[in-house]
């Protein structure tokens, strides 16, 4: 079985680890070998959270520079920061709704221009799927569902060996009951958003 | 029921490395567990904590790692299976009892988990704790995967009982914080009450006893060596002429590299899982068939030196390399690409490195350092101290906790840090060595952990030190674990004592003690000023619950504030670096979803321009 390496980057609090957990549980359900890793030092305090999900016959749980098959970013500047993980074939899926780093908020840094950012990623990688996942999450019922929107987009691309059914089963059984309807809707909306791009 | 108590052997579960370790202990029938929390080990103890609330497993958050090790050692000397959990630097704190526990030994199995942190994702150093095996004479074992982490705990307990010695289980962050599918095993019944048999001539380490016990320890090391020689933890793969010796997570990278480079027929891999004592005869045997050997290990050249020594004993001149120019470094963690490239280079295999995207023309991405939460009381305390000490030449020794984040500008309230509790000792030293005013910062949990002896020292040696104790009621940084001053009733738990820091400090005899509510800015500044003026040891206890903890308990009551038209853009409010602030069209704003209503900024603003978002309702 081929190996598919997915790296997910987000800002603390965006639900990155839940997204990778859903992928992991779905892989277990589908009987696909999986290795995951996470670095969430001080995630609660607004830092960057990075997780990796590796499908298939590999033993490593982390991804070296230039070796990601998919980069999924929950926040556009974080997607850009992780671009060194990509190569010319990497599929990049990114939310376009910025979460301003505090440094920018107080005028100590410049947030990258979103159009330039997209042009750059499009030029250098295999494919870019960029959309405002935050708006879609709101439409689904909660801004917290950005993670599910992006999962929907990822599954739509068929780059990972999981079906929408696998993932939906897990969303239903493993995410909080109170949110599972919103999560499912967010997943569906993300799926169709990616299909339109 | 807690998922790790599931009694269905054979079932597959997606587990974090740390959960797998906790599960391994449960399967091994562990009865007595203790810890001082520390990343990357914290989820092991969290799992124990949760499980202890619904089973007869004993768990405690101990004051520090030394105490955690001691309580577990006592339990193990009553025949119970016990486990002490800590991060790598925690083992330094516990090293004192550990060294002599190696002499005394245990009756029931005892496992000491040390979670090392190569790259220092959340630590002050990246020391390699395999050396504790050599130093203490105890066995050290290391897993290479999440599944193995679970299995090895079980194995460690068995070895521990065979040797009647504790066993050190050494992991690294990439095992602790990796997730994989784990197959559950059967759960061995727990024996939760032990029996202590008096035997002072073997258990009371006066010199005459210890001289005898050291002899026993040396015999035990030989026994352990025999176990290591035949241990299933030392795995041989392949029979090629290129030798690779590896351990821990590096084994995963080596396996992937060998596959990617398609050299499996050319290599032989020796994965060392029993890393102290090393299996010497095995290694010598392994080396005999090798033309060239590469040692792949994160951290220090621990195995490399041993392997070279074994080769020398055997008169074997095979080239053995590991650390060094162009190969591996003791710095930081490895990654699969790095290991693949170094293997290719060392064995002369043509290899094209994957080309990463060229980011040289990408716009710079603004930093996103972790910051104190919006509304964190540490920010308020720092502001008050800064104001109180205006015009005074200061040194600010700090300590380990969220408040260490105060090192970053614009707060810049940290000048020196070594380890847990060091703010009190180093603070005293600075006060004697210089003429500056020393103001040390320490959190409540860290104060209990190891800050108290430094404070006692300062009183005795008459240091001129102001110690600010940031009392937010919980061990915040590692994920809100209780400590001896925590109110356990907030967690609906009973049966705990509770220490009051003010009483402790006064009981020690600190001549000047004052308490502040840091959200009351002017009063706090006044009180701190007085403490700073005091010659001798003064203590300021800054009391306010961690706002993130308060939120998680539903106790955060603050209402958001906003910046009104009165704002004249002085931007004084920005000096406290609260992440709820942002600048929009040249004007300061507050994000109401982040603001916790601490109102510190409102008290700083010279124009009184910061007001509650919703005007207070008139009490009707
Ligand atoms: S977790 Fe608590 S102590 Fe830590 S930064 Fe947040 S509010 Fe402050």
């Amino acid at each position: 079985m081929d190996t598919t390496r997915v790296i997910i980057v987000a800002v603390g609090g965006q639900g990155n680890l839940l997204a990778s957990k859903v992928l992991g549980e779905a892989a277990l359900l589908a009987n696909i070998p999986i290795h995951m890793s996470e670095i969430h030092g001080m995630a609660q305090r607004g830092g960057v959270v990075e997780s990796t999900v590796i499908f298939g016959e590999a033993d490593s749980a982390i991804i070296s520079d230039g070796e990601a098959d998919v980069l999924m970013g929950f926040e556009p500047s974080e997607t850009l920061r992780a671009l060194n993980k990509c190569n010319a074939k990497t599929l990049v899926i990114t939310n376009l709704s910025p979460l301003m780093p505090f440094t920018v908020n107080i005028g100590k840094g410049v947030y990258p221009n979103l159009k330039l950012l997209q042009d750059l990623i499009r030029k250098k990688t295999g494919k870019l799927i960029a959309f405002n996942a935050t708006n879609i999450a709101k439409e689904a019922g909660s801004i917290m569902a950005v993670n599910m929107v992006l999962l929907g987009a990822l599954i739509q691309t068929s780059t990972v060996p999981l079906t929408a059914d696998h993932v939906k089963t897990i969303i239903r059984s493993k995410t909080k009951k109170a949110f599972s309807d919103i999560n499912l809707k967010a997943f569906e909306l993300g799926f169709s958003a990616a299909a339109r791009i | 029921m807690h998922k790790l108590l599931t009694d269905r052997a054979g079932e597959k579960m997606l587990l974090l490395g740390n959960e797998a370790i906790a599960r391994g202990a449960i399967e091994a029938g562990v009865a007595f567990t203790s810890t001082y929390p520390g990343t990357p080990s914290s989820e092991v103890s969290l799992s124990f904590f949760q499980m202890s609330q619904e089973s007869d497993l004993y768990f405690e958050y101990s004051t520090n790692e030394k105490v955690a090790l001691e309580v577990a050692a006592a339990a193990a000397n009553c025949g119970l299976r016990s486990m002490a959990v800590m991060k790598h630097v925690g083992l330094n704190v516990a090293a004192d009892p550990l060294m002599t526990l190696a002499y005394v030994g245990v009756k029931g199995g005892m496992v000491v988990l040390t979670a090392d942190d190569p790259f220092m994702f959340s630590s002050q150093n990246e020391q390699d704790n395999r050396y504790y095996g050599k130093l203490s004479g105890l066995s050290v074992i290391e897993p290479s995967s999440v599944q193995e982490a679970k299995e090895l705990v079980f194995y460690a307990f068995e070895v521990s009982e065979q040797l009647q010695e504790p066993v050190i289980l050494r992991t690294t962050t990439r095992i602790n914080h990796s997730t994989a599918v784990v197959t559950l095993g059967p759960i061995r019944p727990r024996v939760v009450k032990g029996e202590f048999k008096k035997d002072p001539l073997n258990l009371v380490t006066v010199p005459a006893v210890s001289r005898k016990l050291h002899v026993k320890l040396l015999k035990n090391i030989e026994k352990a060596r025999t176990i290591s020689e035949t241990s299933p933890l030392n795995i041989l793969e392949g029979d090629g002429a290129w030798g690779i010796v590896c351990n821990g997570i590096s084994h995963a990278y080596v396996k992937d590299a060998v596959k990617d480079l398609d050299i499996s027929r050319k290599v032989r891999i020796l994965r060392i899982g029993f890393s102290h004592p090393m299996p010497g005869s095995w290694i010598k045997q392994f080396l005999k068939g090798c033309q060239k050997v590469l040692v792949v290990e994160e951290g220090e050249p621990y195995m490399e030196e041993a392997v070279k020594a074994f080769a020398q004993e055997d008169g074997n001149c095979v080239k053995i390399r590991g650390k060094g120019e162009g190969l591996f470094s003791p710095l930081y963690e490895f990654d699969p690409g790095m290991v693949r490239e170094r293997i290719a280079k060392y064995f002369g295999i043509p290899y094209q490195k994957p080309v990463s995207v060229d980011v040289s023309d990408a716009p710079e991405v603004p930093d996103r350092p972790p910051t104190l939460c919006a509304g964190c009381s540490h920010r308020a305390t720092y502001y008050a101290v800064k104001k109180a000490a205006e015009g005074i030449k200061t040194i600010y020794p700090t300590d380990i906790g969220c408040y260490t984040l105060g090192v970053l500008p614009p707060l810049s309230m940290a000048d020196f840090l070594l380890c847990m509790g060091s703010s009190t000792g180093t603070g005293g030293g600075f006060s004697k060595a210089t003429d500056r005013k020393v103001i040390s910062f320490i959190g409540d949990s860290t104060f209990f952990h190891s800050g108290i002896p430094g404070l006692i020292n300062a009183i005795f040696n008459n240091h001129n030190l102001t110690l600010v104790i940031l009392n937010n009621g919980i061990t915040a940084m590692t994920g809100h674990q209780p400590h001896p001053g925590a109110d356990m009733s907030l967690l609906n738990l009973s049966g705990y004592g509770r220490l009051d820091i003010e009483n402790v400090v006064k009981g020690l005899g600190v001549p000047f003690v004052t308490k502040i509510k840091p959200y009351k800015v002017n009063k706090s500044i006044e009180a701190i000023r007085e403490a700073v003026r005091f010659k001798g040891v003064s203590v300021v206890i800054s009391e306010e619950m961690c706002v993130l903890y308060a939120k998680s308990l539903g106790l955060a009551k603050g209402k958001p504030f906003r910046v009104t038209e009165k704002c004249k853009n002085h931007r004084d409010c920005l000096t406290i670096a609260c992440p709820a602030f942002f600048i929009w069209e040249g004007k300061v704003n507050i994000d109401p979803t982040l603001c916790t209503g601490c109102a510190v900024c409102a008290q700083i603003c010279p124009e009184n321009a910061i007001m509650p978002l919703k005007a207070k309702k008139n009490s009707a």
Side-chain angles (χ1 to χ4, degrees), chain B residues 205-434:
Chain B
T205 52
V206 292
V209 171
S210 290
R211 283 186 203 113
K212 217 172 54 188
L213 293 179
H214 195 187
V215 176
K216 182 188 81 170
L217 173 61
L218 294 189
K219 281 196 193 130
N220 254 344
I221 298 175
E222 284 322 303
K223 242 197 255 172
R225 207 181 304 283
T226 324
I227 298 177
S228 176
E229 289 290 357
T230 54
S231 170
L233 268 45
N234 301 319
I235 304 166
L236 180 68
E237 289 159 356
D239 56 3
W242 297 342
I244 299 176
V245 181
C246 57
N247 71 322
I249 196 65
S250 306
H251 184 223
Y253 306 153
V254 166
K255 278 204 280 185
D256 283 349
V258 165
K259 207 177 343 151
D260 296 343
L261 295 168
D262 197 16
I263 51 169
S264 56
R265 280 180 325 276
K266 294 190 177 146
V267 295
R268 66 175 64 191
I269 303 170
L270 179 57
R271 195 295 298 264
I272 300 288
F274 208 115
S275 28
H276 187 265
M278 295 261 279
S281 318
W282 241 71
I283 292 173
K284 286 176 190 164
Q285 200 54 40
F286 172 84
L287 294 177
K288 275 198 187 117
C290 294
Q291 287 167 355
K292 222 177 165 186
V293 177
L294 183 66
V295 183
V296 187
E297 58 186 326
E298 286 177 335
E300 303 300 321
Y302 172 90
M303 297 195 299
E304 183 185 342
E305 284 168 359
V307 171
K308 283 176 176 167
F310 289 131
Q312 200 275 343
E313 276 177 25
D314 235 13
N316 186 338
C317 297
V318 62
K319 183 173 166 190
I320 301 164
R321 293 286 182 276
K323 306 286 170 189
E325 270 299 297
L327 287 172
F328 296 106
S329 162
L331 289 174
Y332 316 142
E333 66 164 0
F334 292 178
D335 64 79
M338 169 209 274
V339 170
R340 192 190 312 124
E341 191 196 344
R342 306 291 148 88
I343 289 179
K345 187 171 168 199
Y346 186 68
F347 294 109
I349 306 153
Y351 168 65
Q352 203 60 53
K353 211 172 136 169
V355 188
S356 355
V357 160
D358 169 23
V359 288
S360 55
D361 59 340
E364 207 180 308
V365 187
D367 278 346
R368 199 186 291 274
T371 46
L372 296 169
C373 300
C376 174
S377 57
H378 298 335
R379 180 178 291 109
T381 309
Y382 280 143
Y383 179 79
V385 172
K386 210 180 223 176
K387 283 282 158 200
E390 242 166 14
I392 304 174
K393 278 198 168 153
T394 52
I395 302 177
Y396 295 123
T398 192
D399 227 301
I400 294 186
C402 286
Y403 49 96
T404 321
L405 293 174
V407 67
L408 296 176
L411 291 172
S412 309
M413 290 298 277
D415 292 324
F416 199 75
L417 172 62
L418 294 174
C419 61
M420 289 287 288
S422 66
S423 63
T424 54
T426 60
F430 283 123
S431 81
K432 285 285 177 189
T434 69

Side-chain angles (χ1 to χ4, degrees), chain B residues 99 129-138 140 168 221 275-276 278 302 305-306:
Chain B
M99 291 301 132
N129 274 6
R130 290 177 295 175
Y131 285 102
Y132 269 113
K134 277 194 169 182
L135 190 59
S136 64
L138 296 175
V140 177
I168 299 173
I221 298 175
S275 28
H276 187 265
M278 295 261 279
Y302 172 90
E305 284 168 359

Side-chain angles (χ1 to χ4, degrees), chain B residues 29-47:
Chain B
V30 74
F32 194 104
T33 52
S34 57
T35 197
Y36 183 82
T39 314
S41 77
S42 304
E43 297 85 359
V44 179
S45 9
L46 177 66
S47 306

Side-chain angles (χ1 to χ4, degrees), chain B residues 491-512:
Chain B
L491 301 170
N492 293 322
L493 293 172
S494 58
Y496 290 87
R498 186 177 179 197
L499 280 82
D500 177 68
I501 292 184
E502 189 179 1
N503 284 343
V504 172
V505 170
K506 286 191 168 153
L508 294 179
V510 173
F512 186 104

